[in-house]
């Protein structure tokens, strides 16, 4: 199968030029202006005139088919990766969970089983670590060396479920100094939050907004600073996931100004939504219950500046959808029982293009860098993924910068009964999406195949500060 994309404006993290792209099977094999048709005969030609051609989006933070609080996230690897493809994302890195008393091997097998035969685009896994004895340290090495699982997520929040203590964090960090892996941190002070939640419940403060009011941004700032200090003492890099507040960003910025390899991602919800959403009538605030919570609106500007100035390196989604019916409803009488998470896997590129590029907060090159190139570099997928180059995977998005879309349950494809951006009109969206040389989205239709996505064994990541 061969594919020719003509007349497109190719955008990578560093370049912006007009050329044709020829893909043979799953690989880009030629790029050039007016590729001669006798040498580059394609089974299919796509005319990208007037459109951008971007490297496929890489979402390094998704939770498909994930158990949480007595229920399971509403998208599995089939529906979730199809929705991702609609949104121009062609690779995801999801999280396998090593529960206490279980091995990482068991967790990886379990999550690969969830994805196999279902995923429509390529996928990889981080390993969530909830305990780390000596055997676990050796398993970390094996995950990095033999399984292509080169990153580990630890939690400073959710006591009794995911939270680990500083000693465990320090052990994990030190081990990555030897095996070359990367620790990703959920940085919120779980002890403080737990106290505030108990107090709120005791006082009868049970509506959704108290989810946000019991998770102050200071708790995120404190944990972010502590995580970075632990990494500094261990002499290794660290990556903060879903950074939501100015308090936390300040810690990352300070560290980077000192030359420390501290990195962080943020997510569209923290750029486009705010605490005000929790004040929506009735139980509607539950739609936005996620951790960290949405912050006051002024944090948004600070985060955008962080993205522009490279204090933040990545935009991921933390896609973890729960329906209002039967799922979010579990917490109707008690916010602490509302499953944490919201949908976003499909709307990342459109939102960031509209609110970032069109509003001139970031450049087109930076848009690609944040949504594809740096994610690939950070997590060991570059240059196979994350750029448009001869030899790279043919994961491409033909993106129409003028196409208008109204975001909402009816127009989107995530398997969830609400959308946080319902009714928002965005300009710019993918018209054709190619994954591994196969067209998966064509004229607004999914034409890919479930199960066609491949498990990606990752290298160790490399990013220069
Ligand atoms: Zn998450």
């Amino acid at each position: 199968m061969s594919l020719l994309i003509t007349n497109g404006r190719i955008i990578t993290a560093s370049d912006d030029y007009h050329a044709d792209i020829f893909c043979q099977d799953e690989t880009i094999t030629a790029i050039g202006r007016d590729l001669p048709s006798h040498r580059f005969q394609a089974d299919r030609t796509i005319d990208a005139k007037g459109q951008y051609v971007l490297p496929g989006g890489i979402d390094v933070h998704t939770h498909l088919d994930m158990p949480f609080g007595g229920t399971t996230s509403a998208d599995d690897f089939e529906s979730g990766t199809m929705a991702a493809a609609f949104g121009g994302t062609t690779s995801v890195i999801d999280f396998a969970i090593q529960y206490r008393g279980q091995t990482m091997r068991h967790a990886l097998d379990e999550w690969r089983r969830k994805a196999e035969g279902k995923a429509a685009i390529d996928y990889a896994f981080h390993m969530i670590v909830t305990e780390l004895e000596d055997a676990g340290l050796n398993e970390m090495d094996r995950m990095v060396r033999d399984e292509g699982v080169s990153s580990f997520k630890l939690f400073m929040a959710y006591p009794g479920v995911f939270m680990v203590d500083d000693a465990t964090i320090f052990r994990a960090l030190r081990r990555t100094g030897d095996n070359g892996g990367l620790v990703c941190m959920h940085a919120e002070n779980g002890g403080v939050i737990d106290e505030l939640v108990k107090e709120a419940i005791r006082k009868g403060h049970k509506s959704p907004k108290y989810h946000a009011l019991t998770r102050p941004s200071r708790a995120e700032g404190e944990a972010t600073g502590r995580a970075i200090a632990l990494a500094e003492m261990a002499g290794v890099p660290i990556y903060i996931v879903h950074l939501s507040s100015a308090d936390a960003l300040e810690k990352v910025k300070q560290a980077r100004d000192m030359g420390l390899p501290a990195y962080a991602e943020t997510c569209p919800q923290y750029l486009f939504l705010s605490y005000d959403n929790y004040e929506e009538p009735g139980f509607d605030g539950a739609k936005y219950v996620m951790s960290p919570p949405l912050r006051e609106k002024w944090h948004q500007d600070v985060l955008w500046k962080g993205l522009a100035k490279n204090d933040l390196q990545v935009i991921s989604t933390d896609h973890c959808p729960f329906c209002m019916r039967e799922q979010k409803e579990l917490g109707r009488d008690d916010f602490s029982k509302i499953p944490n998470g919201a949908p976003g896997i499909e709307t990342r590129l459109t939102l960031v293009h509209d609110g970032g590029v069109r509003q001139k907060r970031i450049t087109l090159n930076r848009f690609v860098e944040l949504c594809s190139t740096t994610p690939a570099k950070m997590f060991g997928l570059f240059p196979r993924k994350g750029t448009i180059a001869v030899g790279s995977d043919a994961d491409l998005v033909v993106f129409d910068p003028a196409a208008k879309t109204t975001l909402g349950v009816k127009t989107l494809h995530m398997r969830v009964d609400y959308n946080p951006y319902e009714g928002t009109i965005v300009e710019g969206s993918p018209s054709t999406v190619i994954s591994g040389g196969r067209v998966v989205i064509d004229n607004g239709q999914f034409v890919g195949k479930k199960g066609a996505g491949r498990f990606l064994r990752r290298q160790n990541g490399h990013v220069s500060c």
Side-chain angles (χ1 to χ4, degrees):
M1 168 83 190
S2 56
L3 197 65
L4 179 66
I5 303 167
T6 58
N7 302 315
R9 180 175 162 194
I10 298 175
I11 315 285
T12 66
S14 52
D15 295 307
D16 182 343
Y17 61 103
H18 284 85
D20 302 338
I21 300 172
F22 188 80
C23 310
Q24 183 64 54
D25 300 321
E26 60 207 39
T27 309
I28 297 170
T29 55
I31 302 171
R33 211 166 266 198
D34 305 320
L35 292 176
S37 55
H38 63 282
R39 279 186 54 210
F40 294 96
Q41 279 195 354
D43 298 323
R44 173 155 181 207
T45 300
I46 295 165
D47 185 2
K49 194 170 168 50
Q51 302 191 62
Y52 306 146
V53 184
L54 317 172
I58 301 176
D59 189 344
V60 300
H61 193 149
T62 67
H63 298 283
L64 302 173
D65 202 354
M66 187 191 79
F68 186 96
T71 185
T72 303
S73 60
D75 271 315
D76 64 6
F77 279 83
E78 182 180 344
S79 65
T81 57
M82 280 172 58
F86 272 107
T89 286
T90 53
S91 304
V92 295
I93 309 184
D94 205 88
F95 294 86
I97 306 176
Q98 173 244 348
Y99 293 104
R100 290 188 186 136
Q102 291 180 355
T103 62
M104 295 180 201
R105 165 86 268 160
H106 178 85
L108 181 60
D109 289 347
E110 181 82 6
W111 258 265
R112 286 195 63 177
R113 195 182 50 70
K114 287 174 192 262
E116 250 157 41
K118 285 191 164 180
I121 57 169
D122 293 349
Y123 57 94
F125 294 104
H126 312 277
M127 180 62 63
I128 288 178
V129 177
T130 61
E131 70 179 356
L132 196 58
E133 302 306 324
D134 288 345
L137 289 167
N138 293 329
E139 253 206 311
M140 275 180 88
D141 298 348
R142 283 199 293 279
M143 284 292 135
V144 175
R145 193 183 58 219
D146 304 332
E147 305 294 345
V149 175
S150 54
S151 44
F152 303 87
K153 184 184 184 189
L154 284 80
F155 287 80
M156 301 169 100
Y158 301 118
V161 187
F162 293 123
M163 187 168 132
V164 289
D165 62 12
D166 289 353
T168 304
I169 294 168
F170 190 61
R171 283 152 66 83
L173 285 164
R174 283 234 274 206
R175 198 63 168 210
T176 61
D178 299 326
N179 62 33
L182 178 66
V183 168
C184 305
M185 192 65 75
H186 179 131
E188 283 186 297
N189 186 316
V192 167
I193 289 166
D194 218 34
E195 286 302 308
L196 293 173
V197 169
K198 280 185 204 149
E199 185 186 63
I201 299 292
R202 220 169 31 235
K203 288 182 174 164
H205 296 156
K206 295 181 175 177
S207 64
K209 71 175 179 186
Y210 289 99
H211 171 77
L213 297 173
T214 54
R215 304 184 88 93
S217 60
R218 275 285 179 269
E220 188 188 12
E222 184 281 325
T224 301
R226 179 157 40 102
I228 291 170
L230 292 168
E232 183 186 5
M233 287 186 274
V236 297
I238 189 158
Y239 180 89
I240 308 296
V241 297
H242 50 46
L243 187 146
S244 72
S245 68
D247 310 59
L249 181 57
E250 188 55 33
K251 302 290 181 186
V252 174
K253 194 169 172 305
Q254 276 171 12
R256 293 178 61 80
D257 288 348
M258 287 165 60
L260 294 173
Y263 308 101
E265 65 182 20
T266 189
C267 312
Q269 53 270 33
Y270 303 119
L271 299 167
F272 295 99
L273 304 171
S274 73
Y275 172 80
D276 298 347
N277 293 99
Y278 295 112
E279 301 273 4
E280 289 177 14
F283 187 60
D284 278 1
K287 294 173 180 172
Y288 314 94
V289 167
M290 61 184 81
S291 296
L294 301 175
R295 305 300 187 184
E296 285 170 30
K297 216 171 167 56
W298 64 268
H299 290 262
Q300 293 174 0
D301 260 342
V302 181
L303 296 180
W304 278 114
K305 287 200 180 87
L307 289 167
K309 291 183 178 163
N310 203 34
D311 291 320
L312 293 164
Q313 291 75 37
V314 171
I315 301 176
S316 67
T317 65
D318 197 9
H319 176 75
C320 191
F322 295 101
C323 289
M324 287 296 276
R325 272 192 55 190
E326 289 174 16
Q327 296 198 299
K328 293 282 188 183
E329 268 179 3
L330 294 169
R332 189 170 278 281
D333 303 317
D334 177 351
F335 73 87
S336 70
K337 298 198 167 60
I338 300 171
N340 283 205
I345 203 167
E346 189 174 353
T347 45
R348 185 177 60 131
L349 295 193
T350 49
L351 282 169
V352 176
H353 173 266
D354 187 75
V357 178
R358 288 192 65 244
Q359 301 298 321
K360 303 204 185 315
R361 289 171 165 133
I362 54 171
T363 65
L364 260 177
N365 297 113
R366 184 67 179 153
F367 167 54
V368 170
E369 190 168 38
L370 290 164
C371 294
S372 179
T373 312
T374 303
K377 288 180 176 174
M378 188 76 66
F379 292 103
L381 293 170
F382 189 85
R384 179 178 172 189
K385 309 283 191 190
T387 192
I388 297 176
V390 170
S392 292
D393 278 4
D395 292 355
L396 298 162
V397 178
V398 181
F399 191 93
D400 180 353
K404 281 203 175 110
T405 319
T406 305
L407 304 181
V409 171
K410 286 212 176 73
T411 53
L412 297 167
H413 305 83
M414 297 170 283
R415 195 198 283 163
V416 58
D417 61 3
Y418 77 98
N419 191 274
Y421 310 98
E422 190 69 45
T424 302
I425 298 170
V426 288
E427 209 167 309
S429 63
S431 58
T432 307
V433 179
I434 296 146
S435 163
R438 294 166 292 106
V439 175
V440 290
I441 301 296
D442 200 2
N443 265 322
Q445 295 298 314
F446 178 77
V447 294
K449 224 171 64 200
K450 75 166 185 170
R454 300 162 293 181
F455 171 66
L456 301 170
R457 280 174 200 280
R458 295 181 289 121
Q459 311 285 313
N460 291 335
H462 295 283
V463 173
S464 45
C465 249

